[in-house]
Amino acid sequence: RRRELVFQFIGESILITTLAFGIAVLLTELALPYYNDLVEKKLSLDYASLQFWEFAVGLILFTGIISGSYPALYLSSFQPTQALKGKITIGKGGTTPRKVLVTMQFIVSVLLVISMLVIYRQIQHVKNRDVGYNQEGLITVEYTREIEKQFKAIKNELLQSGVVSAVAKSNSPITAIWSNNFLGWPGKPENRKVMFSTIACEYDYSKTMGIRMLEGRDFSEEISSDSAGIIVNKAALDLMQLKDPIGQQLELWGKKKTLIGIIDNVIMESPDNVVRPLFMVFDPNWSSSVTIRLEKTRDIQSSLKTVEDIFRKYNPAYPFDYDFADVEFRKKFKSVTMTGQLAALFATLAILITGLGLFGLAAFTAEQRTKEIGVRKVLGASVSNLVAMLSKDFLKLVIIAAVIAFPVSWWAMHSWLQDFAYRISIDWWVFAVAAFAALFIALATISFQAVKAALANPVKSLRTE
């Protein structure tokens, strides 16, 4: 009876889905350690949870019934006499659901490939941005009370060691801003308040960091009036629009500060954003970190050992912990880099699944057109003609998928890029590469089935005619 056939088809589909679920759980267990390392989480499958098994059974039944209902209801509707005589014809609409599903898979694949390319380009764009200082050989050590008491002796001994070229202390490391304050300048509207990033430092800060001085000078030990001086970055100068800025009087904390220097913009916060206005003041008592520039050497470990010995001599109660500036700066890319890696992972999976779906559709189509192919071969069609004929319909699916995926992916990536003040534009070639990749995958997948069908002996397919 038809009902029994329907249950048989759906039962087989649920059985296959159950087997697939078991394999998926095994693969998940194998992949979880690597995925946890990628996202820095500790995810696991909780087999003791009732909710897990409820979800598993629900997923298996839903997938099995949905995937099995179409063949169950469709194939069970054939008349036995026609089926046994081989007179069943699927018709043009028989492959429509398959084509729709494969097209949807291609839409997702193209969208993810475009997203992966845009995210990768944005990451590289930000990474290649000029940070405004020299990160090579720059380390930061936490400031303590013992270091505060002995800082001058520590600095002198470090400079005399031969492995250090400059030392400076400040209220925050070069890779962070820990203070913000209001600043007044000549011509500033009364109702306008702008928050400036604030760096408190002593001598040799710009020299140690390798920051370019655009105008004026740095704080100098030879000039005692530097406690009343102030240095601003280019972003602050662009904001204030001062003509002949050196020597101008700026207002900070109710006191006048003389503008003595202008430094280039330095990326201390997120590399995705524009550099904010910043000023530096001379304040030796406001410090939280010591920055050391090591001399260029191939034996970096030996240099670090020398620096460690000096700090242990003057600061024995604390361990010698240090951070490389370039390593700390790279941590700022952690989130966006993870996004890029996940996009690449999901794009690869989507392409694999799409390839499997297309392979199945190609095999089904070739099987349905076996006699047509045999007739065409008998009438003189070449293998290349037959391969082109079979491939043409599938390439149409890719083109349709690309036409749908392009505007969706552009909108999604354009919206994502709005979170970055320093961002790329989405070039046309990104879409061309994604479309070419989809076409290549389609041709590579189809070609096997198409060539196999084209090379088949037409006698076998036409023997009953």
Side-chain angles (χ1 to χ4, degrees), residues 53-330:
W53 291 110
E54 288 175 346
F55 174 80
V57 172
L59 180 64
I60 291 170
L61 291 176
F62 176 80
T63 308
I65 292 171
I66 292 297
S67 60
S69 359
Y70 175 76
L73 299 175
Y74 182 65
L75 296 178
S76 65
S77 65
F78 295 156
Q79 292 298 321
T81 53
Q82 292 181 333
L84 292 172
K85 290 179 181 179
K87 294 184 178 180
I88 296 298
T89 55
I90 299 300
K92 290 184 178 180
T95 59
T96 301
R98 296 168 183 260
K99 289 181 178 179
V100 170
L101 291 173
V102 170
T103 303
M104 290 175 61
Q105 290 173 342
F106 265 111
I107 291 172
V108 174
S109 296
V110 171
L111 195 152
L112 285 173
V113 169
I114 292 172
S115 302
M116 179 182 65
L117 291 173
V118 172
I119 292 170
Y120 175 79
R121 289 187 63 235
Q122 174 63 23
I123 293 171
Q124 295 305 119
H125 180 68
V126 175
K127 284 185 175 179
N128 294 333
R129 187 180 179 186
D130 183 12
V131 295
Y133 66 99
N134 182 10
Q135 295 180 333
E136 185 179 0
L138 207 61
I139 64 171
T140 302
V141 180
E142 187 178 353
Y143 199 67
T144 66
R145 285 191 174 276
E146 293 299 319
I147 292 177
E148 181 181 7
K149 295 175 185 177
Q150 305 287 341
F151 179 73
K152 195 160 188 178
I154 293 172
K155 181 176 179 178
N156 290 334
E157 194 160 336
L158 286 170
L159 294 174
Q160 293 169 7
S161 67
V163 301
V164 173
S165 60
V167 181
K169 61 178 181 176
S170 58
N171 67 327
S172 64
I174 188 67
T175 54
I177 292 292
W178 291 349
S179 180
N180 297 278
N181 293 275
F182 294 110
L183 185 68
W185 64 89
K188 183 182 81 67
E190 288 293 331
N191 60 346
R192 187 177 187 186
K193 290 187 176 182
V194 179
M195 192 72 76
F196 286 68
S197 301
T198 305
I199 296 293
C201 60
E202 203 178 26
Y203 307 113
D204 299 327
Y205 182 83
S206 297
K207 174 187 173 183
T208 304
M209 305 302 175
I211 301 174
R212 293 182 290 273
M213 186 67 64
L214 303 179
E215 291 185 53
R217 62 176 179 82
D218 199 357
F219 297 120
S220 172
E221 291 188 66
E222 300 174 358
I223 302 176
S224 58
S225 62
D226 273 354
S227 58
I230 191 170
I231 298 171
V232 301
N233 67 350
K234 187 176 181 299
L237 183 64
D238 293 340
L239 172 71
M240 295 185 291
Q241 294 291 311
L242 297 175
K243 295 182 178 179
D244 299 322
I246 302 302
Q248 294 275 10
Q249 297 295 306
L250 309 182
E251 186 175 343
L252 176 65
W253 303 319
K255 298 180 180 179
K256 294 293 183 180
K257 295 281 185 179
T258 303
L259 182 57
I260 64 172
I262 299 165
I263 60 171
D264 199 0
N265 289 335
V266 177
I267 301 175
M268 298 182 181
E269 298 176 291
S270 171
D272 305 321
N273 299 328
V274 295
V275 177
R276 294 195 296 134
L278 171 144
F279 68 81
M280 298 195 312
V281 292
F282 182 85
D283 191 345
N285 298 319
W286 185 7
S287 300
S288 61
S289 63
V290 179
T291 304
I292 302 163
R293 178 167 296 282
L294 302 174
E295 293 280 8
K296 290 184 179 180
T297 177
R298 293 184 179 180
D299 191 2
I300 190 73
Q301 293 302 321
S302 177
S303 297
L304 289 172
K305 183 65 172 62
T306 301
V307 173
E308 180 180 2
D309 291 341
I310 294 172
F311 271 92
R312 287 189 179 279
K313 175 181 175 182
Y314 292 98
N315 190 37
Y318 295 87
F320 178 67
D321 293 326
Y322 62 90
D323 296 307
F324 279 97
D326 55 349
V327 174
E328 291 300 304
F329 185 76
R330 281 198 295 270

Side-chain angles (χ1 to χ4, degrees), residues 13 96 181 273 364 385 436 451 457:
S13 180
T96 301
N181 293 275
N273 299 328
F364 176 77
N385 294 143
F436 177 79
V451 171
N457 189 346

Side-chain angles (χ1 to χ4, degrees), residues 27 105 109 345-359 441 445:
L27 293 176
Q105 290 173 342
S109 296
L345 175 63
F346 290 126
T348 304
L349 290 173
I351 289 169
L352 177 62
I353 294 170
T354 303
L356 291 172
L358 188 59
F359 186 84
I441 293 163
T445 306

